[in-house]
Each structure stands twice: as structure tokens, then as C-alpha cells.
């Protein structure tokens, strides 16, 4: 390496200069330094683009034959439904700016059809929920639909005015959602319904109450126009594809990494093919289940955490509906259930008379489905769908099964924190180890989802620049 990027040159001006660089407004410096980024999801791509703007040679290595990570548009299906990240929140500044800068057109998502309910074996129309005999909630709670019960947490939410969800002081009182909701006065029937479709934990006994406060706090801080969400008009994968197209060096696709080793002055990445790649630093923006598969020398405490942080289980069955079979029976078209089917989301395919229908199953209910072969799993879900809605059989066809826990490069959809775990685990998992740096939504400070991935990639890129300045 014949030239280096000095600390004075890197930090010249002020933090405002770095901020300009992160937004694409800086001139490229030739640092003579090389970084490897393992994974071409939003986090890795954002880190790679930032490092390139500051003159680093960057090589992105991706195990799959596509970019995007847990953003996965099912382009082979009519309507191109999303198998991964669904929407871009109105507060996702990095994501929205990237889409604007890269000319990825956005739109407001087609409106999901209204949900009716199927609880304790009984169908309940949404307009009848409050008065229905099958509504299991006590009188003071009967007007709250099952999908909004968790929102009652904001009456006692310590995070409505802060994002310090992993603050040790706050986390000292963290407990399981199961016991915490009960202590807060949630009736048993409400807790059961929350647990039936909890997107933020595999079961309430192992779900951090503080993590639920975090989610509800984010929703609570949004109001009015801020509630608006966006999606990429032609599928959310268009954003990571556009980001990848900006890289100076093509991504090395279909190349799983098996090992990352380092010395005091360099790193070496070993691929499944046996090929090795040397660099000055490595960024690992991988989900923890994928990180566990890679041979690395990490501190014992960090290795232990890799094994103990859970990931959320999701099974999706994407279907195509040819005609609105629900209208004849007076139903809305989507369903919230307390049985195997979880939630059923239906939305129109723009410009057609057809619909995308997604059966979305959460948490430990996925275990039996994940153990089945694909054909058996599809048959099991399909039969449950026909039992619930016999009229759907003739109007609906199966499109694609998505099982994130069975994906070796994901292991689930997002990281989950056990009660009290985030107070120590969050900081430890994002801490650099020598020349190896960590990113991904599980390491993000302020955001979740797509924005959390972008945020974490930005932070990891800055950490690399500080080391190699």
C-alpha cells in the first residue's frame, strides 16, 4: 500500500464534511486501503458505497445469487409481492433519500383490504367485533380489535419520549411480556390474543416487554402525515439493486464466506470455493444465525451472545386471487385469526382485477411448518385456508412459500431480545473486534427494519475509516 488516508485529511473540516460525504457530496480520495463487505443487503451496500466515496477499494461478497438480503421481491408472481421488507416508514430518512438519489420510484402501497376476525372457531365481522358474543374480552376492552390491543402499552410507555430502549437503567426493570402485560392489568384474554399474532417475539414468555415498548413507542411518536408509508413502485428490491449498480466493483455473487481471520495488520476472508480475499478491514452486516456459520476468532462473551439471541420466525404463503370470493359472504377480504393461519393480508394488484393474498404466520407456530418439506407445508396451510374460507378454493392459487428460518443466510426475519438482554447484548454485538466490524439491523441504535440496516452500515463505515485513518 503506497499511500494512506491521514486522520487530518479524513476529518478535515468537521463532522459536517463527513456528513456531506455520506450523502454523496464529497470528492473521492484515493486512500490505498481495501475493505471487504460480507453481504449485499441494505446495510452492507450502504457501508460499501460510503467507503467508496472516501476512496476505499471495496469488495462486496454475497452468498446468494441476488442482492437485498431480507428484502426480497417475489418478481415471478403477479403483483410482485414482498417476501421480505414490506414498507418504507415516513421516518426512514436514509432509505427515502437513497431512493430519491438513485431515482427508484416510490408509491403509496395499494390499500390492504379490511380485516375480519376468526377467534375461538367463530367468524366475527369487523363491524360486529365490539358486540359479538364470541368476543372474549371483558367489557372495558371489547371495543379494541385484536390487532390494536398491544397499543394499550403506550399508556405506560417509558419510551414515548426517548429511543433509549437498551438503556441499562430502563432495562433493569425489563421483564417478559407475559408477566409484564399481566402486571399492567391486561386481561388474560387480551394477552392470549396478543400472543396469537405477535410480530415481535416467538412467544410472550421469551419476549422482552421493553422491546414491545420500543415498537409501540415508534408508532406512538408518529401521527397524521407521518403515518404515511411508501414502497418501491416496481418492488423493494429495486433499491438494493440500484445501490449495487453504483459500486465501482461488481459484487461477487453466489460466494458464501466460511472464515474470517485477521492479524494486527490485515484480514483474510475465505470463501466456500477455497478462494481467499485479503483486505485491511472487514464489515460483517449479517444476521446472527448466518454469522454463526462463519469461523471467526471472537471474544468468548461475544460468541456466547451469538448463540443466545433469537430471531423471529415467519412463514408466508403467497397466493393469487382471481376474483373477490369474500364479497358474496359480506367479508372484508383480509382476516385476523387465532389459529394456524395467523393473519391473512389481501390487497389488489394495480391495473388488474386480481389480488395478492399473503398468509403470514408468526413465532413458535412456525416450528412444525418449518420441519415439513415444502410440498407438505404448502398443503397444510392451503387446507387450513380452504377450511376457513371454502369459497377461496376455486378462486385462489398458490404462488410461493417463504420460510425465513430455513434460509441459511437469514435464520429468521429480525433479531429478538429476551427480557433484559438488550442492556448488554446490543452494545457487545456491535463492538468491533480488531479489524472486523459488525452491522445489520440488530446493531442499529435508533431504528428498526430497513432504516436500521442503513443506519448500521453508515456507523460501521465510519468505524472502518477511524481505524484506517
Amino acid at each position: 500500500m503506497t499511500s494512506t488516508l491521514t486522520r487530518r485529511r479524513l476529518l478535515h473540516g468537521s463532522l459536517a464534511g463527513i456528513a456531506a460525504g455520506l450523502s454523496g457530496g464529497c470528492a473521492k480520495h484515493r486512500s490505498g486501503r481495501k475493505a471487504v463487505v460480507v453481504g449485499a443487503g441494505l446495510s452492507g451496500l450502504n457501508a460499501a458505497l460510503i467507503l467508496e466515496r472516501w476512496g476505499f477499494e471495496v469488495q462486496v461478497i454475497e452468498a446468494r445469487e441476488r442482492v437485498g438480503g431480507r428484502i426480497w421481491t417475489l418478481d415471478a408472481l403477479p403483483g410482485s409481492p414482498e417476501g421480505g421488507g414490506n414498507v418504507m416508514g415516513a421516518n426512514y430518512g436514509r432509505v427515502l433519500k437513497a431512493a430519491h438519489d438513485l431515482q427508484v420510484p416510490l408509491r403509496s402501497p395499494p390499500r390492504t383490504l379490511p380485516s375480519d376476525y376468526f377467534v375461538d372457531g367463530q367468524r366475527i365481522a369487523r363491524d360486529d367485533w365490539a358486540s359479538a358474543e364470541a368476543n372474549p374480552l371483558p367489557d372495558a376492552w371489547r371495543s379494541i380489535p385484536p390487532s390494536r390491543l398491544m397499543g394499550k402499552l403506550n399508556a405506560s410507555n417509558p419510551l414515548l419520549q426517548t429511543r433509549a430502549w437498551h438503556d441499562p437503567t430502563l432495562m433493569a426493570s425489563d421483564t417478559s411480556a407475559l408477566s409484564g402485560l399481566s402486571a399492567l392489568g391486561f386481561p388474560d384474554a387480551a394477552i392470549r390474543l396478543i400472543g396469537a399474532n405477535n410480530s415481535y417475539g416467538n412467544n410472550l414468555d421469551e419476549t422482552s416487554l421493553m422491546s414491545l415498548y420500543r415498537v409501540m413507542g415508534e408508532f406512538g411518536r408518529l401521527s397524521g402525515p407521518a403515518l404515511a408509508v411508501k414502497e418501491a413502485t416496481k418492488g423493494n428490491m429495486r433499491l438494493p439493486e440500484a445501490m449495487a449498480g453504483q459500486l465501482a466493483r461488481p459484487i461477487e455473487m453466489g460466494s458464501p464466506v466460511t472464515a474470517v481471520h485477521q492479524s494486527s495488520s490485515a484480514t483474510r476472508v475465505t470463501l466456500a470455493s477455497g478462494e481467499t480475499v485479503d483486505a485491511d478491514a472487514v464489515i460483517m452486516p449479517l444476521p446472527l444465525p448466518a454469522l454463526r456459520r462463519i469461523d471467526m476468532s471472537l471474544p468468548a462473551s461475544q460468541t456466547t451472545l451469538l448463540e443466545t439471541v433469537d430471531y423471529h420466525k415467519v412463514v408466508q404463503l403467497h397466493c393469487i386471487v382471481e376474483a373477490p370470493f369474500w364479497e358474496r359472504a359480506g367479508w372484508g377480504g383480509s382476516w385476523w385469526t387465532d389459529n394456524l393461519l395467523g393473519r391473512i393480508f389481501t390487497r389488489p394488484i394495480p391495473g388488474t382485477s386480481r389480488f395478492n393474498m399473503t398468509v403470514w404466520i408468526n413465532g413458535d407456530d412456525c416450528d412444525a411448518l418449518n420441519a415439513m418439506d415444502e410440498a407438505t407445508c404448502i398443503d397444510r396451510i392451503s387446507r387450513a385456508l380452504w377450511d376457513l374460507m371454502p369459497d377461496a378454493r376455486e378462486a385462489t392459487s398458490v404462488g410461493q412459500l417463504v420460510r425465513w428460518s430455513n434460509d441459511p443466510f437469514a435464520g429468521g426475519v429480525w433479531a429478538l431480545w429476551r427480557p433484559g438482554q438488550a442492556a448488554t447484548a446490543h452494545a457487545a454485538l456491535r463492538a468491533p473486534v480488531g479489524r472486523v466490524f459488525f452491522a445489520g439491523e440488530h446493531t442499529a441504535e435508533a431504528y428498526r427494519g430497513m432504516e436500521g440496516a442503513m443506519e448500521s452500515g453508515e456507523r460501521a463505515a465510519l468505524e472502518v475509516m477511524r481505524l484506517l485513518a
Side-chain angles (χ1 to χ4, degrees):
M1 303 172 190
T2 59
S3 64
T4 59
L5 182 62
T6 66
R7 182 174 298 276
R8 176 175 296 177
R9 186 177 179 187
L10 173 64
L11 301 179
H12 177 70
S14 66
L15 288 176
I18 290 182
L22 296 182
S23 65
C26 72
K28 288 186 178 180
H29 307 291
R30 294 184 178 180
S31 73
R33 300 287 194 171
K34 179 178 179 178
V36 169
V37 177
V38 180
L42 285 183
S43 179
L45 292 169
N46 197 33
L49 288 169
I50 290 168
L51 289 173
E52 277 198 351
R53 290 177 194 135
W54 283 90
F56 287 73
E57 179 187 353
V58 181
Q59 184 169 352
V60 179
I61 300 172
E62 169 55 49
R64 298 181 175 92
E65 294 291 349
R66 64 171 180 85
V67 301
R70 283 166 289 169
I71 294 180
W72 184 23
T73 303
L74 307 180
D75 289 317
L77 300 185
S80 297
E82 300 295 340
N86 278 270
V87 294
M88 303 170 184
N91 58 339
Y92 282 15
R94 295 172 180 86
V95 173
L96 297 176
K97 185 178 188 306
H100 175 271
D101 290 348
L102 296 172
Q103 299 183 356
V104 176
L106 304 180
R107 69 181 181 188
S108 297
R111 187 178 296 275
T112 300
L113 300 183
S115 287
D116 296 300
Y117 307 102
F118 193 85
V119 175
D120 292 331
Q122 301 293 315
R123 294 192 188 193
I124 306 173
R126 63 192 180 281
D127 293 338
D128 297 335
W129 171 255
S131 59
E133 184 177 346
N135 182 334
L137 298 171
D139 289 346
W141 291 68
R142 289 177 66 84
S143 64
I144 306 173
S147 59
R148 295 184 181 178
L149 286 168
M150 201 184 295
K152 292 280 283 184
L153 275 174
N154 276 345
S156 59
N157 196 338
L159 299 179
L160 276 177
Q161 305 300 323
T162 176
R163 291 178 176 173
W165 58 276
H166 51 81
D167 180 89
T169 303
L170 285 172
M171 295 300 289
S173 61
D174 194 22
T175 184
S176 76
L178 186 62
S179 61
L181 291 171
S182 180
L184 289 168
F186 280 63
D188 290 344
I191 294 173
R192 181 178 68 81
L193 291 176
I194 289 172
N197 281 305
N198 174 23
S199 293
Y200 311 106
N202 290 321
N203 61 72
L204 290 181
D205 193 41
E206 296 179 348
T207 299
S208 157
L209 180 66
M210 195 61 65
S211 69
L212 297 186
Y213 274 136
R214 179 193 185 191
V215 174
M216 292 299 103
E218 288 185 11
F219 292 148
R221 286 190 294 268
L222 296 175
S223 61
L227 287 173
V229 296
K230 297 291 183 182
E231 66 180 10
T233 303
K234 297 183 178 180
N236 289 335
M237 269 181 63
R238 306 298 85 85
L239 178 58
E241 288 170 353
M243 294 171 71
Q246 295 294 302
L247 292 170
R249 178 173 183 162
I251 296 172
E252 189 160 341
M253 308 292 287
S255 301
V257 169
T258 59
V260 175
H261 296 296
Q262 61 177 310
S263 66
S264 60
S265 59
T267 63
R268 172 162 290 179
V269 176
T270 302
L271 309 184
S273 64
E275 177 188 355
T276 60
V277 182
D278 295 334
D280 297 290
V282 176
I283 294 179
M284 306 289 289
L286 299 178
L288 297 179
L291 207 58
R292 294 170 195 151
R293 301 166 62 90
I294 297 175
D295 179 20
M296 292 186 294
S297 296
L298 298 176
S301 59
Q302 208 162 6
T303 300
T304 299
L305 285 174
L306 283 179
E307 298 298 329
T308 58
V309 175
D310 293 328
Y311 266 61
H312 192 52
K313 306 165 188 173
V314 166
V315 171
Q316 303 168 2
L317 184 64
H318 293 267
C319 303
I320 308 301
V321 182
E322 300 295 335
F325 60 85
W326 51 84
E327 291 183 351
R328 184 170 56 186
W331 301 109
S334 297
W335 284 265
W336 189 103
T337 85
D338 64 352
N339 63 23
L340 170 69
L341 293 172
R343 290 167 296 173
I344 302 168
F345 301 104
T346 306
R347 71 180 208 174
I349 300 175
T352 76
S353 59
R354 306 165 88 187
F355 299 81
N356 289 120
M357 175 181 282
T358 302
V359 179
W360 186 297
I361 303 165
N362 281 302
D364 288 346
D365 288 341
C366 297
D367 288 347
L369 298 172
N370 285 328
M372 300 174 183
D373 62 68
E374 183 166 313
T376 304
C377 183
I378 290 173
D379 183 68
R380 175 72 181 88
I381 299 172
S382 298
R383 288 180 181 275
L385 186 62
W386 310 152
D387 287 345
L388 176 65
M389 298 175 286
D391 290 344
R393 182 186 292 269
E394 299 303 321
T396 305
S397 59
V398 171
Q400 189 163 342
L401 179 70
V402 174
R403 297 187 286 187
W404 282 105
S405 296
N406 290 7
D407 182 336
F409 307 120
V413 292
W414 46 70
L416 301 174
W417 307 104
R418 293 174 181 267
Q421 191 177 47
T424 55
H426 181 262
L429 288 170
R430 59 188 272 170
V433 177
R435 291 172 174 265
V436 178
F437 299 82
F438 300 95
E441 53 85 23
H442 62 282
T443 71
E445 182 80 15
Y447 289 93
R448 299 179 302 112
M450 297 185 204
E451 185 70 6
M454 295 283 281
E455 173 202 317
S456 72
E458 179 180 294
R459 184 227 351 120
L462 287 170
E463 289 174 342
V464 169
M465 287 191 279
R466 292 188 191 105
L467 173 74
L468 300 181

